[in-house]
Amino acid sequence: MTDSVFSAASAPLINLQQSEPAPRAEQEGDATVHDVVIVGSGPAGYTAAVYTARANLKPVVFASSVAAGGDLMTTTEVENYPGFIEGIQGPELMANMQQQAERFGADVRYEDVAQVDLSGEVKKIVLDDGSVTLAKSVILSTGSEYRKLGLEDEKRLSGHGVSWCATCDGFFFKEKPIAVVGGGDSALEEALFLTNFASSVTVIHRRDTLRASEIMQERALNHPKITFVWDSAVVGIEGEQKTEALQIENLRSGVTQRLEVEGLFVAIGSDPRTDLVREQLELTPDGTIAVHGRSSKTALPGVFAAGDVVDPTYRQAITAAGSGCVAAIDAQHYLESL
């Protein structure tokens, strides 16, 4: 779900303090040392922008030139975000958040961040064009990216039967046949959750054994609504306006079969977007940015992180927004201490 990637090419991080020349020559940019720069948009970034703007910190938000608003920009109906009785379209929700932040003075820029130097009291944010923006504090809300199957029709049918979030979209598949791809705990959690809505759930796994924990396997294997297709991969998705069927190839025999479903949930993991900072900040075993306790504070003073880039578990718009609020307040307190 959540926050946008801010560099179209996620190149390996190059520390600006190294003696080696950077791949992009720094150009004269914004000479102002801003109180707060927020890298990434989505629920976490825009919420952090609302709070820091209302604190008169005049945040600059680098929202990305191509992915502003994050994953919710590709989501249709959002019915589990508080305050919207009839639900709201994902892009509309993100537009509302952005406009709310701008109302209080946030400067949202549709530009991509190529490099960052988070050391020292003044942080450097280098954009794709080589220009540099300076800041006393930085909030990283770069989100995560669901792993994709890499199929031609996967993106086209995203939001039209293809999903990566059962909690977000399961409600729309009442009494409909659906499939889940994956074999770990996340995949089985999705499958079990979806049995509350679907007429049937087919779990498609590349191997003949599951990677999930024993208790999750037991629950899924014994559930009357769940069936398994082993040693198989989805190689095609059928449907013009919405998902209608899957092409499933048996990886042992090479035989392809057709499975009629109205929903496909891909649960093969996600990757936090940490390419910009992985050589400067401590990461957790899950690959997320490490923060102190329930705060947003990273190992570097003045650097904070929020949203899916720190959350490997919940990854919901509402938890990301709450995390953005925490980061904004932490940044405000840090600036007051200078």
Side-chain angles (χ1 to χ4, degrees):
M1 144 238 47
T2 62
D3 293 88
S4 66
V5 64
F6 27 79
S7 179
S10 297
L13 174 69
I14 296 180
N15 192 320
L16 298 178
Q17 290 184 307
Q18 294 175 347
S19 58
E20 300 177 8
R24 295 173 178 83
E26 293 181 12
Q27 300 176 3
E28 184 178 352
D30 187 348
T32 304
V33 180
H34 299 276
D35 283 328
V36 182
V37 164
I38 300 168
V39 184
S41 49
Y46 286 148
T47 301
V50 168
Y51 273 78
T52 51
R54 290 188 76 252
N56 201 32
L57 296 176
K58 299 179 175 60
V60 174
V61 182
F62 289 114
S64 170
S65 64
V66 294
D71 289 342
L72 281 181
M73 296 300 289
T74 60
T75 302
T76 52
E77 197 78 13
V78 178
E79 293 193 323
N80 57 1
Y81 198 90
F84 299 94
I85 299 171
E86 302 299 328
I88 185 171
Q89 295 289 307
E92 183 183 359
L93 178 60
M94 290 299 92
N96 288 350
M97 285 190 175
Q98 177 181 337
Q99 291 167 20
Q100 184 178 8
E102 290 175 326
R103 173 194 168 201
F104 295 113
D107 180 2
V108 178
R109 304 180 185 180
Y110 297 104
E111 299 177 83
D112 298 312
V113 175
Q115 301 171 25
V116 292
D117 179 359
L118 302 176
S119 61
E121 291 186 5
V122 177
K123 323 300 179 185
K124 285 185 178 181
I125 298 91
V126 183
L127 304 182
D128 261 355
D129 63 4
S131 62
V132 178
T133 299
L134 305 176
K136 298 176 186 176
S137 66
V138 172
I139 295 175
L140 301 163
S141 58
T142 53
S144 65
E145 184 174 15
Y146 290 112
R147 294 174 190 159
K148 308 295 195 300
L149 298 174
L151 300 176
E152 182 178 348
D153 292 318
E154 186 176 11
K155 182 177 181 180
R156 180 176 65 85
L157 292 170
S158 173
H160 300 277
V162 177
S163 174
W164 291 265
C165 180
T167 307
C168 308
D169 299 328
F171 177 81
F172 302 108
F173 294 89
K174 285 187 174 181
E175 299 305 318
K176 296 178 180 179
I178 61 176
V180 174
V181 176
D185 276 340
S186 295
L188 297 192
E189 287 173 6
E190 299 268 281
L192 288 163
F193 176 80
L194 290 167
T195 60
N196 295 312
F197 309 102
S199 59
S200 65
V201 178
T202 302
V203 177
I204 303 163
H205 187 41
R206 299 182 64 88
R207 300 176 179 83
D208 59 0
T209 57
L210 297 167
R211 294 178 286 104
S213 60
E214 290 295 329
I215 189 167
M216 293 300 296
Q217 291 192 43
E218 182 179 351
R219 290 173 181 171
L221 290 167
N222 292 327
H223 199 288
K225 280 191 177 183
I226 299 178
T227 58
F228 288 81
V229 177
W230 305 103
D231 297 312
S232 298
V234 176
V235 294
I237 306 172
E238 299 179 11
E240 290 298 323
Q241 303 300 322
K242 63 179 182 178
T243 301
E244 297 175 358
L246 306 177
Q247 293 291 328
I248 303 173
E249 179 185 358
N250 185 288
L251 300 177
R252 292 182 181 270
S253 67
V255 175
T256 299
Q257 62 175 325
R258 184 175 187 270
L259 176 67
E260 292 187 359
V261 296
E262 295 190 36
L264 170 63
F265 288 80
V266 181
I268 55 176
S270 63
D271 298 306
R273 294 184 175 112
T274 59
D275 286 346
L276 284 175
V277 299
R278 65 173 67 252
E279 294 180 10
Q280 298 185 60
L281 293 178
E282 179 186 351
L283 303 182
T284 69
D286 292 311
T288 56
I289 295 174
V291 294
H292 298 168
R294 295 188 63 187
S295 78
S296 67
K297 300 173 185 176
T298 71
L300 293 180
V303 181
F304 309 91
D308 284 8
V309 77
V310 301
D311 176 15
T313 305
Y314 302 104
R315 297 182 309 206
Q316 298 296 302
I318 186 64
T319 53
S323 180
C325 167
V326 170
I329 294 173
D330 285 344
Q332 180 182 351
H333 290 166
Y334 168 77
L335 292 167
E336 290 170 349
S337 71
L338 294 180

